[in-house]
Amino acid sequence: HKVLALLRSAVAHALDLKLFLVAVGDALHHVADECARQAMQAAEIPCWELVGDCETALYGALVGAPGCALVAGTGSVCFGRNAEGKTARAGGWGHLLGDEGSGYALGRDALTAVARWHDGYGESTGLTEALAKKKNLRTREEMIAYVYGGDKSRIAALAPLVEAQAAAGDPVSCRILEENAAALVRLVEAVTHRLHITDREVALLGGLLTSDTGLRRAFRDQLGRVGPALR
């Protein structure tokens, strides 16, 4: 009831200012379902469609044109719409079930590689020293406390270490980037296949894809091989 009251107030204010209220932020994207729509209708809020932030991101990135939006930040998701207006989504399952190619995935894979090295069966990697210097993670106990002592954002915060080590030529870090780039390509392939999209733009969004990162370069290289007409 409190949320609906706030929404009614926001709509009324927007209408007074002759504004179109396009989207509600991602704090509400988990309630973008039929139950939420029914609640909005019951509250008599006009002209609303409650959608996820990935859908508004696609519209904003391509100015309404058909195509796909691939988001890779702390998490990851791909959302697409074709010329007939049909939509499809892949990813966006959260870090326990997915988030492949995200900052979380890079940080998790870095920690996994170092943990395996500590156990004696993993490959030597510059990530071990990087974690020790940058995050003071030198022992098993320190790593466990870091991983399980906070939320997923502290794991995603390790993504720049993977990028830096890959740029320095660390084989383990390079492999982490390549594998996660391949996972992002699979998200795009899943969406474009379901929508029969072959020659549209793929908007790259989120901190890991909007900058000149190793992950972005690896993704573009791999996408070019599997979908040469996708831009």
Side-chain angles (χ1 to χ4, degrees):
H1 294 297
K2 290 182 179 180
V3 171
L4 290 176
L6 288 171
L7 289 174
R8 282 196 295 269
S9 176
V11 170
H13 185 62
L15 292 174
D16 287 343
L17 296 175
K18 294 182 172 60
L19 298 176
F20 291 100
L21 196 58
V22 175
V24 177
D26 71 348
L28 287 180
H29 79 272
H30 290 299
V31 296
D33 55 22
E34 189 57 34
C35 292
R37 290 188 177 89
Q38 291 175 4
M40 301 288 275
Q41 291 171 358
E44 297 182 347
I45 296 176
C47 303
W48 275 83
E49 182 179 0
L50 194 61
V51 300
D53 54 341
C54 57
E55 186 166 348
T56 58
L58 170 64
Y59 190 92
L62 300 185
V63 199
C68 295
L70 176 66
V71 185
T74 302
S76 65
V77 63
C78 182
F79 184 85
R81 182 172 62 84
N82 64 18
E84 289 73 42
K86 294 181 179 179
T87 62
R89 169 179 173 146
W93 292 96
H95 68 291
L96 294 181
L97 295 178
D99 276 353
E100 50 270 73
S102 67
Y104 174 85
L106 297 185
R108 177 204 60 208
D109 291 352
L111 288 163
T112 299
V114 174
R116 289 173 177 172
W117 177 83
H118 275 290
D119 280 345
Y121 70 95
E123 186 178 344
S124 178
T125 170
L127 290 167
T128 304
E129 186 63 22
L131 286 176
K133 286 185 175 180
K134 300 293 184 180
K135 297 295 182 179
N136 294 316
L137 302 180
R138 294 178 171 81
T139 67
R140 174 191 300 268
E141 291 75 20
E142 289 170 339
M143 288 179 59
I144 290 174
Y146 182 86
V147 170
Y148 298 105
D151 60 22
K152 67 177 185 178
S153 64
R154 63 164 54 189
I155 297 177
L158 303 178
L161 300 185
V162 180
E163 287 280 346
Q165 288 301 309
D170 177 58
V172 171
S173 299
C174 290
R175 189 159 58 246
I176 289 173
L177 291 186
E178 290 291 335
E179 290 173 352
N180 279 278
L184 292 176
V185 169
R186 287 193 291 272
L187 294 182
V188 174
E189 284 186 296
V191 169
T192 55
H193 176 73
R194 286 157 62 190
L195 296 177
H196 305 289
I197 292 174
T198 58
D199 61 350
R200 294 289 182 176
E201 286 187 294
V202 179
L204 303 183
L205 305 171
L208 287 173
L209 295 177
T210 54
S211 303
D212 184 24
T213 61
L215 181 67
R216 175 189 170 100
R217 292 191 295 273
F219 168 79
R220 291 188 63 170
D221 288 345
Q222 295 188 40
L223 183 67
R225 291 195 290 270
V226 299
L230 295 172
R231 305 182 298 281

